[in-house]
Each structure stands twice: as C-alpha cells, then as structure tokens.
Amino acid sequence: MMKLNQQRLIDTFLELVQIDSESFHEKKIHGFLVSRLKELGCRVYVDKAGSAYNTDAPGNIIAFLPGTAKSKPVVLCSHMDTVVPGKGVKPVVKKDCITSDGTTILGADDKAGLAIILEVLRTLKEQTQVPYPPVEAVFTLTEETGMQGAKNLDYKKIKGREGLILDNEEVTELLVQGPAVNTIEVWIKGLASHAGVCPEKGISALEVAAYALSQMKLGRVDKETVANFGVVQGGKVTNVVMDEVYLKGEARSLSDAKLAKQTAHMKACFEKAVKHFTKKIDGKVHKPQVKFVPFKRYPAVNVPRNNEMVKDILSAAKKLGVRVRAAASGGGCDANVLSGFGFTLPNLGVGCRNCHTLKEKLILKEFFQAFEITLAAVLAYRK
Ligand SMILES: [Zn+2]
C-alpha cells in the first residue's frame, strides 16, 4: 500500500514557503517547480501567460505525469503566488501546526496545495503495484490579485477536464459552487445650473442615480444572487445642481443566467431614470446621459453533486474518518476562471487557517488528510 511520508511532505512545504513568491514576483518559485516536476518524470510545458501582464515569471506550468492505467488525465491545480507580506517567510514548526514567525504570512495558501500535488506525483511514481491514471499538474501564476495567471492560461494544452483544485482552508469543506461576478460602473451626466437662482434649469445626476437605485433590486436578490453599489462619487459645491455622478457596484450569482438577468435589470432601472428626468428647458429637450458598463470578473463554479470526482473525494474522506461536506463559496478563485474554460474542479481545503494574515497557520493533521484524500481520488479516477 502507499504510505504517506509525513516528514517528506512537511519538508517540501517548508522548502516552498521559504521561496519568496508574492504576486507578480513568482520567477523563483516557478523555476524551482519546473525543475522539481522534471525530476519527478513529468513532461513540463510553460505557457506564455507571463507576457500578457506584468509578472516576472514566464508563464503557468502544465506538467504531465504519464499513468500506468488507461484513462484520461486527472487535473490537479494550485497557484504559485502569495499575498503580501510574503518575503523572507520563517516557518515555525510546532507540535500540531506550522506558522510563520509572526512578521509575514505563512504562504500555506497555496503552497500547501503545491506540496500535496508534488508529493502525490512522487508517491505514485515510487510504487509499482497500484495502477494510476495520467496526472496533469497545473500550477498557475498570480491568483491572489485577480486570477491573471488562470485568465491567461493556455488551457488547450491541458488534456484532462476534470480533477481537483487545492486552494481552500478547512479540509472538511469541498467547494463545489462559487458565484459569477460582474463589476458595474455607471457614469451619469445631468445638467449643471445655479441651485439658488434657477434649479429648474438643471438636471441632478444624483437624483437620476437615486431614482434608478430606488427602482432596483439590491442586496439579497434571491437565494443565489446578490447586488450592491459600494462607491458613489460626485459634486463639488452646494449651490450647483450636480451634473455628474459616478457609481461603482457589483452583482454576484451562483447562476450565470441569473447574473445576466440581474445585470440587465440594473441597466433597465437607469434607462427608466433617464426617461423620468428628461425634460424641456427653455424649449429644448434635455436628456441625462447614462453610461452603464458591466465587466465580467469571472464565471460561476457549478460542479454537480453527483460528479464522479466529488463522489470519490467524499468517499475517500469517509474511509479516513473525515467528514467532508460539499459547500458553496462566496468568493472567486482559479476554479471560477477554469470553470469558464470547461473544467470541472471541486476545491478541497488543505488545512490552513487565517489565510492572508500574519496569523496564518497550517494544521498538520488536516494537511495530511488532504494529501490522503487527493491521492485516493486520483487513484480512483478513470475516464
Ligand atoms: Zn489561494
């Protein structure tokens, strides 16, 4: 049977967290991972994502480990970058967890994921008794600042379409749903006029905005959909009818279709407001101008609960005595972007806590469990 080499998994993790890799400065860890993957017998391909935006690394890593069983490859994905402050991490190994020395983050997000994947590849290679499918390790750049790596991933170079992302905190939580998000910017132009002398000759951009918002479904729209305006900018003095206002907001939904519907509804409310505030001034028709610009940040994740990979993960966990539950996330990660490219990748926790803070820690027991679950799910995969 394949046994987990705990010390080796910890050593790989400690090695990784001591390589600086804040977003956009990922060259070093990139080089380290490419050579480690080659040592493990993988065919390594590096895409050109690095030239699409401002990072010092060449691209995302796609590594192929040939299998000994006939199957499509199973995809394992983690990201290479960390948030700040992530330079000069000095890991402190305690009895049941690993932390930083308190002056930096630890970087378990997502180096715990990278370490697990490297160790899974190594464990598969070392044994000859149990047949395993081909594995494709996908290590992305620059996830933390908006998934720039994944967005520029040369995903056609990846043969598999199913697998697992390791980029979540608690091992007991498997994320199978995540919202699609649209950022929405609105510029409204009214008509300036002296507010003391002739307010009727003006059109208040702020009132246009207020009217539109009063007609709009915001906050909790339905079980799967939320919307919010969080930024308002406009106006300079009290005696001028405000002629320009800028709003910035967002809408999120677990359903791409519902997100499109909500975004269209928001736009329609501004159009209604334009009609409402169009008026004749000195015999001439004045119409407020609205520029409504939605920007798709990332698509939704929707892995069916009866997906084979999900079932394999849950049953592997059960055998280990770990109660893993399928859950929905409120935020976005590489899983969202990859889902837009047609990948089915539930996101398993690696055992870290307090990610993105100086108190970040990796709980060893959960880290080992995440490894065991990942290995078992890979071994069970056949397509
Ligand atoms: Zn992460």
Side-chain angles (χ1 to χ4, degrees):
M1 233 3 249
M2 277 171 252
K3 262 198 79 186
L4 161 61
N5 187 331
Q6 292 188 345
Q7 194 53 50
R8 204 168 68 183
L9 180 59
I10 291 177
D11 289 345
T12 303
F13 175 73
L14 295 176
E15 214 174 347
L16 289 169
V17 296
Q18 290 176 83
I19 303 170
D20 295 347
S21 67
E22 289 177 351
S23 304
F24 308 112
H25 305 282
E26 301 138 311
K27 196 175 158 183
K28 263 210 229 143
I29 195 143
H30 184 277
F32 176 89
L33 290 166
V34 166
S35 64
R36 184 57 67 89
L37 288 160
K38 283 183 179 164
E39 277 166 34
L40 289 168
C42 293
R43 292 203 295 271
V44 179
Y45 170 77
V46 174
D47 72 11
K48 293 180 181 62
S51 54
Y53 64 96
N54 193 23
T55 169
D56 64 2
N60 300 296
I61 301 173
I62 300 167
F64 182 87
L65 181 76
T68 56
K70 213 175 161 276
S71 172
K72 276 189 186 159
V74 56
V75 178
L76 298 178
C77 181
S78 286
H79 62 86
M80 292 184 255
D81 64 319
T82 72
V83 295
V84 294
K87 274 191 204 140
V89 173
K90 290 180 196 67
V92 180
V93 184
K94 298 174 182 165
K95 197 171 146 261
D96 54 0
C97 69
I98 300 174
T99 65
S100 72
D101 65 359
T103 63
T104 65
I105 54 146
L106 174 62
D109 173 9
D110 195 16
K111 285 165 180 170
L114 295 174
I116 287 171
I117 295 172
L118 290 175
E119 191 57 28
V120 163
L121 297 174
R122 201 160 160 182
T123 306
L124 292 173
K125 277 277 297 209
E126 277 173 352
Q127 55 84 44
T128 49
Q129 291 104 321
V130 188
Y132 55 90
V135 182
E136 276 173 314
V138 178
F139 295 160
T140 59
L141 295 171
T142 330
E143 189 268 352
E144 298 288 2
T145 50
M147 290 91 83
Q148 287 92 336
K151 284 176 180 168
N152 292 289
L153 177 68
D154 191 358
Y155 66 91
K156 286 179 185 141
K157 285 285 192 304
I158 305 169
K159 295 180 191 77
R161 281 295 175 272
E162 286 183 324
L164 188 53
I165 282 200
L166 291 152
D167 189 15
N168 185 23
E169 291 203 343
E170 295 169 34
V171 75
T172 51
E173 190 180 72
L174 181 70
L175 298 176
V176 294
Q177 281 188 306
V181 180
N182 281 351
T183 301
I184 291 157
E185 287 185 290
V186 190
W187 289 265
I188 302 171
K189 250 194 155 128
L191 189 62
S193 180
H194 197 292
V197 180
C198 48
E200 52 281 287
K201 293 192 176 181
I203 298 173
S204 165
L206 183 62
E207 283 186 57
V208 175
Y211 180 87
L213 295 178
S214 74
Q215 307 288 307
M216 205 176 288
K217 282 179 260 167
L218 288 169
R220 164 79 47 202
V221 175
D222 63 41
K223 247 177 95 183
E224 298 185 302
T225 314
V226 291
N228 178 57
F229 277 96
V231 178
V232 184
Q233 284 159 1
K236 288 180 195 79
V237 288
T238 60
N239 62 355
V240 174
V241 173
M242 195 193 292
D243 62 336
E244 278 185 14
V245 72
Y246 166 81
L247 306 178
K248 191 173 183 185
E250 60 169 44
R252 296 175 181 247
S253 181
L254 292 173
S255 147
D256 285 302
K258 279 184 180 174
L259 179 65
K261 197 175 152 209
Q262 171 65 17
T263 306
H265 158 72
M266 292 163 91
K267 188 178 183 200
C269 290
F270 284 104
E271 283 163 356
K272 195 172 165 193
V274 165
K275 266 194 202 139
H276 190 82
F277 284 89
T278 298
K279 63 179 180 183
K280 255 189 187 166
I281 301 167
D282 296 334
K284 205 182 147 211
V285 177
H286 286 270
K287 191 176 163 186
Q289 306 288 310
V290 171
K291 200 169 123 195
F292 181 96
V293 183
F295 169 76
K296 188 161 191 131
R297 285 235 294 271
Y298 44 80
V301 175
N302 252 316
V303 181
R305 308 265 164 145
N306 63 359
N307 169 269
E308 286 299 328
M309 183 48 87
V310 171
K311 284 200 275 186
D312 288 341
I313 291 165
L314 297 184
S315 81
K318 207 173 164 191
K319 270 182 209 153
L320 286 165
V322 189
R323 199 172 294 174
V324 174
R325 59 183 184 87
S329 149
C333 72
D334 280 348
N336 294 69
V337 178
L338 289 166
S339 150
F341 294 150
F343 289 84
T344 302
L345 301 167
N347 183 357
L348 183 67
V350 292
C352 59
R353 296 290 191 281
N354 313 322
C355 287
H356 300 190
T357 75
L358 304 183
K359 290 194 175 119
E360 184 184 2
K361 67 173 171 183
L362 181 68
I363 296 168
L364 291 173
K365 190 178 156 199
E366 291 194 21
F367 183 41
F368 300 148
Q369 288 169 336
F371 168 86
E372 302 264 21
I373 294 168
T374 306
L375 181 64
V378 167
L379 286 171
Y381 188 83
R382 293 290 185 278
K383 201 71 189 256

PDB file of all heavy atoms in Angstrom, residues 153-173:
ATOM      1  N   LEU A 153      -4.312  31.393 -19.069  1.00  0.00           N
ATOM      2  CA  LEU A 153      -3.847  30.001 -19.170  1.00  0.00           C
ATOM      3  C   LEU A 153      -4.069  29.444 -20.579  1.00  0.00           C
ATOM      4  O   LEU A 153      -5.133  29.625 -21.161  1.00  0.00           O
ATOM      5  CB  LEU A 153      -4.619  29.151 -18.146  1.00  0.00           C
ATOM      6  CG  LEU A 153      -4.351  27.642 -18.131  1.00  0.00           C
ATOM      7  CD1 LEU A 153      -2.933  27.349 -17.652  1.00  0.00           C
ATOM      8  CD2 LEU A 153      -5.355  26.941 -17.198  1.00  0.00           C
ATOM      9  N   ASP A 154      -3.047  28.774 -21.104  1.00  0.00           N
ATOM     10  CA  ASP A 154      -3.149  28.128 -22.414  1.00  0.00           C
ATOM     11  C   ASP A 154      -3.843  26.774 -22.192  1.00  0.00           C
ATOM     12  O   ASP A 154      -3.235  25.719 -22.291  1.00  0.00           O
ATOM     13  CB  ASP A 154      -1.731  27.940 -22.963  1.00  0.00           C
ATOM     14  CG  ASP A 154      -1.724  27.525 -24.418  1.00  0.00           C
ATOM     15  OD1 ASP A 154      -2.824  27.334 -24.993  1.00  0.00           O
ATOM     16  OD2 ASP A 154      -0.629  27.363 -24.966  1.00  0.00           O
ATOM     17  N   TYR A 155      -5.141  26.862 -21.862  1.00  0.00           N
ATOM     18  CA  TYR A 155      -5.833  25.672 -21.353  1.00  0.00           C
ATOM     19  C   TYR A 155      -5.997  24.571 -22.399  1.00  0.00           C
ATOM     20  O   TYR A 155      -6.241  23.421 -22.056  1.00  0.00           O
ATOM     21  CB  TYR A 155      -7.185  26.050 -20.751  1.00  0.00           C
ATOM     22  CG  TYR A 155      -8.182  26.583 -21.747  1.00  0.00           C
ATOM     23  CD1 TYR A 155      -9.055  25.727 -22.389  1.00  0.00           C
ATOM     24  CD2 TYR A 155      -8.245  27.936 -22.029  1.00  0.00           C
ATOM     25  CE1 TYR A 155      -9.971  26.213 -23.304  1.00  0.00           C
ATOM     26  CE2 TYR A 155      -9.146  28.431 -22.944  1.00  0.00           C
ATOM     27  CZ  TYR A 155     -10.006  27.576 -23.586  1.00  0.00           C
ATOM     28  OH  TYR A 155     -10.888  28.067 -24.495  1.00  0.00           O
ATOM     29  N   LYS A 156      -5.820  24.934 -23.676  1.00  0.00           N
ATOM     30  CA  LYS A 156      -5.929  23.908 -24.716  1.00  0.00           C
ATOM     31  C   LYS A 156      -4.772  22.917 -24.653  1.00  0.00           C
ATOM     32  O   LYS A 156      -4.843  21.839 -25.216  1.00  0.00           O
ATOM     33  CB  LYS A 156      -6.010  24.571 -26.089  1.00  0.00           C
ATOM     34  CG  LYS A 156      -7.378  25.208 -26.296  1.00  0.00           C
ATOM     35  CD  LYS A 156      -7.509  25.900 -27.619  1.00  0.00           C
ATOM     36  CE  LYS A 156      -8.861  26.602 -27.685  1.00  0.00           C
ATOM     37  NZ  LYS A 156      -8.748  27.906 -28.359  1.00  0.00           N
ATOM     38  N   LYS A 157      -3.722  23.297 -23.946  1.00  0.00           N
ATOM     39  CA  LYS A 157      -2.579  22.389 -23.776  1.00  0.00           C
ATOM     40  C   LYS A 157      -2.858  21.336 -22.685  1.00  0.00           C
ATOM     41  O   LYS A 157      -2.068  20.427 -22.474  1.00  0.00           O
ATOM     42  CB  LYS A 157      -1.333  23.192 -23.395  1.00  0.00           C
ATOM     43  CG  LYS A 157      -0.726  23.958 -24.559  1.00  0.00           C
ATOM     44  CD  LYS A 157       0.026  23.004 -25.486  1.00  0.00           C
ATOM     45  CE  LYS A 157       0.903  23.698 -26.503  1.00  0.00           C
ATOM     46  NZ  LYS A 157       0.253  24.667 -27.369  1.00  0.00           N
ATOM     47  N   ILE A 158      -3.968  21.500 -21.963  1.00  0.00           N
ATOM     48  CA  ILE A 158      -4.318  20.551 -20.905  1.00  0.00           C
ATOM     49  C   ILE A 158      -5.284  19.532 -21.499  1.00  0.00           C
ATOM     50  O   ILE A 158      -6.310  19.908 -22.074  1.00  0.00           O
ATOM     51  CB  ILE A 158      -4.961  21.287 -19.707  1.00  0.00           C
ATOM     52  CG1 ILE A 158      -4.025  22.394 -19.222  1.00  0.00           C
ATOM     53  CG2 ILE A 158      -5.264  20.305 -18.571  1.00  0.00           C
ATOM     54  CD1 ILE A 158      -4.664  23.343 -18.221  1.00  0.00           C
ATOM     55  N   LYS A 159      -4.940  18.248 -21.341  1.00  0.00           N
ATOM     56  CA  LYS A 159      -5.778  17.214 -21.969  1.00  0.00           C
ATOM     57  C   LYS A 159      -6.980  16.861 -21.105  1.00  0.00           C
ATOM     58  O   LYS A 159      -8.065  16.602 -21.593  1.00  0.00           O
ATOM     59  CB  LYS A 159      -4.944  15.964 -22.238  1.00  0.00           C
ATOM     60  CG  LYS A 159      -3.848  16.193 -23.256  1.00  0.00           C
ATOM     61  CD  LYS A 159      -3.049  14.906 -23.485  1.00  0.00           C
ATOM     62  CE  LYS A 159      -1.783  15.173 -24.285  1.00  0.00           C
ATOM     63  NZ  LYS A 159      -0.707  15.794 -23.482  1.00  0.00           N
ATOM     64  N   GLY A 160      -6.786  16.811 -19.786  1.00  0.00           N
ATOM     65  CA  GLY A 160      -7.871  16.470 -18.868  1.00  0.00           C
ATOM     66  C   GLY A 160      -8.826  17.640 -18.681  1.00  0.00           C
ATOM     67  O   GLY A 160      -8.478  18.790 -18.962  1.00  0.00           O
ATOM     68  N   ARG A 161     -10.041  17.352 -18.251  1.00  0.00           N
ATOM     69  CA  ARG A 161     -11.002  18.427 -17.977  1.00  0.00           C
ATOM     70  C   ARG A 161     -11.614  18.293 -16.577  1.00  0.00           C
ATOM     71  O   ARG A 161     -12.457  19.079 -16.180  1.00  0.00           O
ATOM     72  CB  ARG A 161     -12.123  18.433 -19.027  1.00  0.00           C
ATOM     73  CG  ARG A 161     -11.711  19.081 -20.353  1.00  0.00           C
ATOM     74  CD  ARG A 161     -11.405  20.566 -20.197  1.00  0.00           C
ATOM     75  NE  ARG A 161     -10.902  21.193 -21.409  1.00  0.00           N
ATOM     76  CZ  ARG A 161      -9.622  21.244 -21.766  1.00  0.00           C
ATOM     77  NH1 ARG A 161      -8.709  20.680 -21.018  1.00  0.00           N
ATOM     78  NH2 ARG A 161      -9.242  21.868 -22.868  1.00  0.00           N
ATOM     79  N   GLU A 162     -11.176  17.230 -15.863  1.00  0.00           N
ATOM     80  CA  GLU A 162     -11.725  17.019 -14.528  1.00  0.00           C
ATOM     81  C   GLU A 162     -10.598  16.837 -13.525  1.00  0.00           C
ATOM     82  O   GLU A 162      -9.526  16.377 -13.893  1.00  0.00           O
ATOM     83  CB  GLU A 162     -12.585  15.747 -14.503  1.00  0.00           C
ATOM     84  CG  GLU A 162     -13.911  15.896 -15.179  1.00  0.00           C
ATOM     85  CD  GLU A 162     -14.733  14.625 -15.043  1.00  0.00           C
ATOM     86  OE1 GLU A 162     -14.162  13.530 -15.071  1.00  0.00           O
ATOM     87  OE2 GLU A 162     -15.953  14.750 -14.903  1.00  0.00           O
ATOM     88  N   GLY A 163     -10.866  17.156 -12.283  1.00  0.00           N
ATOM     89  CA  GLY A 163      -9.852  16.951 -11.252  1.00  0.00           C
ATOM     90  C   GLY A 163     -10.178  17.711  -9.999  1.00  0.00           C
ATOM     91  O   GLY A 163     -11.348  17.779  -9.587  1.00  0.00           O
ATOM     92  N   LEU A 164      -9.147  18.334  -9.449  1.00  0.00           N
ATOM     93  CA  LEU A 164      -9.275  18.886  -8.117  1.00  0.00           C
ATOM     94  C   LEU A 164      -8.411  20.145  -8.006  1.00  0.00           C
ATOM     95  O   LEU A 164      -7.273  20.157  -8.468  1.00  0.00           O
ATOM     96  CB  LEU A 164      -8.773  17.807  -7.149  1.00  0.00           C
ATOM     97  CG  LEU A 164      -8.933  17.957  -5.662  1.00  0.00           C
ATOM     98  CD1 LEU A 164     -10.373  18.239  -5.311  1.00  0.00           C
ATOM     99  CD2 LEU A 164      -8.493  16.663  -4.987  1.00  0.00           C
ATOM    100  N   ILE A 165      -8.972  21.169  -7.379  1.00  0.00           N
ATOM    101  CA  ILE A 165      -8.164  22.341  -7.012  1.00  0.00           C
ATOM    102  C   ILE A 165      -7.917  22.235  -5.520  1.00  0.00           C
ATOM    103  O   ILE A 165      -8.814  21.872  -4.753  1.00  0.00           O
ATOM    104  CB  ILE A 165      -8.900  23.655  -7.374  1.00  0.00           C
ATOM    105  CG1 ILE A 165      -8.784  23.911  -8.875  1.00  0.00           C
ATOM    106  CG2 ILE A 165      -8.329  24.823  -6.593  1.00  0.00           C
ATOM    107  CD1 ILE A 165      -9.028  25.336  -9.299  1.00  0.00           C
ATOM    108  N   LEU A 166      -6.701  22.537  -5.111  1.00  0.00           N
ATOM    109  CA  LEU A 166      -6.376  22.549  -3.683  1.00  0.00           C
ATOM    110  C   LEU A 166      -6.108  23.996  -3.296  1.00  0.00           C
ATOM    111  O   LEU A 166      -4.969  24.466  -3.367  1.00  0.00           O
ATOM    112  CB  LEU A 166      -5.157  21.665  -3.425  1.00  0.00           C
ATOM    113  CG  LEU A 166      -5.429  20.175  -3.624  1.00  0.00           C
ATOM    114  CD1 LEU A 166      -4.187  19.429  -4.027  1.00  0.00           C
ATOM    115  CD2 LEU A 166      -6.033  19.575  -2.369  1.00  0.00           C
ATOM    116  N   ASP A 167      -7.151  24.716  -2.928  1.00  0.00           N
ATOM    117  CA  ASP A 167      -6.982  26.141  -2.613  1.00  0.00           C
ATOM    118  C   ASP A 167      -8.113  26.618  -1.706  1.00  0.00           C
ATOM    119  O   ASP A 167      -8.765  27.611  -1.973  1.00  0.00           O
ATOM    120  CB  ASP A 167      -6.945  26.955  -3.913  1.00  0.00           C
ATOM    121  CG  ASP A 167      -6.562  28.405  -3.685  1.00  0.00           C
ATOM    122  OD1 ASP A 167      -6.050  28.718  -2.595  1.00  0.00           O
ATOM    123  OD2 ASP A 167      -6.784  29.234  -4.589  1.00  0.00           O
ATOM    124  N   ASN A 168      -8.317  25.858  -0.629  1.00  0.00           N
ATOM    125  CA  ASN A 168      -9.378  26.227   0.297  1.00  0.00           C
ATOM    126  C   ASN A 168      -8.820  25.974   1.692  1.00  0.00           C
ATOM    127  O   ASN A 168      -7.786  25.330   1.827  1.00  0.00           O
ATOM    128  CB  ASN A 168     -10.624  25.382  -0.008  1.00  0.00           C
ATOM    129  CG  ASN A 168     -11.823  25.774   0.829  1.00  0.00           C
ATOM    130  OD1 ASN A 168     -11.902  26.907   1.317  1.00  0.00           O
ATOM    131  ND2 ASN A 168     -12.746  24.852   1.034  1.00  0.00           N
ATOM    132  N   GLU A 169      -9.479  26.463   2.726  1.00  0.00           N
ATOM    133  CA  GLU A 169      -8.907  26.364   4.073  1.00  0.00           C
ATOM    134  C   GLU A 169      -9.154  25.014   4.745  1.00  0.00           C
ATOM    135  O   GLU A 169      -8.275  24.163   4.806  1.00  0.00           O
ATOM    136  CB  GLU A 169      -9.412  27.514   4.942  1.00  0.00           C
ATOM    137  CG  GLU A 169      -8.859  28.878   4.501  1.00  0.00           C
ATOM    138  CD  GLU A 169      -8.866  29.908   5.612  1.00  0.00           C
ATOM    139  OE1 GLU A 169      -9.551  29.725   6.626  1.00  0.00           O
ATOM    140  OE2 GLU A 169      -8.140  30.922   5.457  1.00  0.00           O
ATOM    141  N   GLU A 170     -10.356  24.809   5.269  1.00  0.00           N
ATOM    142  CA  GLU A 170     -10.608  23.611   6.071  1.00  0.00           C
ATOM    143  C   GLU A 170     -10.771  22.364   5.206  1.00  0.00           C
ATOM    144  O   GLU A 170     -11.488  22.390   4.222  1.00  0.00           O
ATOM    145  CB  GLU A 170     -11.863  23.814   6.929  1.00  0.00           C
ATOM    146  CG  GLU A 170     -11.656  24.912   7.956  1.00  0.00           C
ATOM    147  CD  GLU A 170     -12.946  25.319   8.637  1.00  0.00           C
ATOM    148  OE1 GLU A 170     -13.807  24.454   8.844  1.00  0.00           O
ATOM    149  OE2 GLU A 170     -13.073  26.512   8.940  1.00  0.00           O
ATOM    150  N   VAL A 171     -10.139  21.280   5.634  1.00  0.00           N
ATOM    151  CA  VAL A 171     -10.194  20.047   4.847  1.00  0.00           C
ATOM    152  C   VAL A 171     -11.610  19.474   4.827  1.00  0.00           C
ATOM    153  O   VAL A 171     -11.962  18.697   3.945  1.00  0.00           O
ATOM    154  CB  VAL A 171      -9.180  19.010   5.376  1.00  0.00           C
ATOM    155  CG1 VAL A 171      -9.654  18.370   6.668  1.00  0.00           C
ATOM    156  CG2 VAL A 171      -8.905  17.942   4.327  1.00  0.00           C
ATOM    157  N   THR A 172     -12.436  19.894   5.767  1.00  0.00           N
ATOM    158  CA  THR A 172     -13.803  19.373   5.835  1.00  0.00           C
ATOM    159  C   THR A 172     -14.739  20.052   4.827  1.00  0.00           C
ATOM    160  O   THR A 172     -15.912  19.719   4.749  1.00  0.00           O
ATOM    161  CB  THR A 172     -14.389  19.593   7.246  1.00  0.00           C
ATOM    162  OG1 THR A 172     -14.186  20.961   7.587  1.00  0.00           O
ATOM    163  CG2 THR A 172     -13.697  18.708   8.263  1.00  0.00           C
ATOM    164  N   GLU A 173     -14.209  21.013   4.086  1.00  0.00           N
ATOM    165  CA  GLU A 173     -15.063  21.743   3.149  1.00  0.00           C
ATOM    166  C   GLU A 173     -14.583  21.572   1.709  1.00  0.00           C
ATOM    167  O   GLU A 173     -13.448  21.915   1.383  1.00  0.00           O
ATOM    168  CB  GLU A 173     -15.070  23.226   3.515  1.00  0.00           C
ATOM    169  CG  GLU A 173     -16.105  24.027   2.771  1.00  0.00           C
ATOM    170  CD  GLU A 173     -16.067  25.489   3.184  1.00  0.00           C
ATOM    171  OE1 GLU A 173     -15.106  26.186   2.812  1.00  0.00           O
ATOM    172  OE2 GLU A 173     -16.992  25.924   3.885  1.00  0.00           O
TER     173      GLU A 173
END
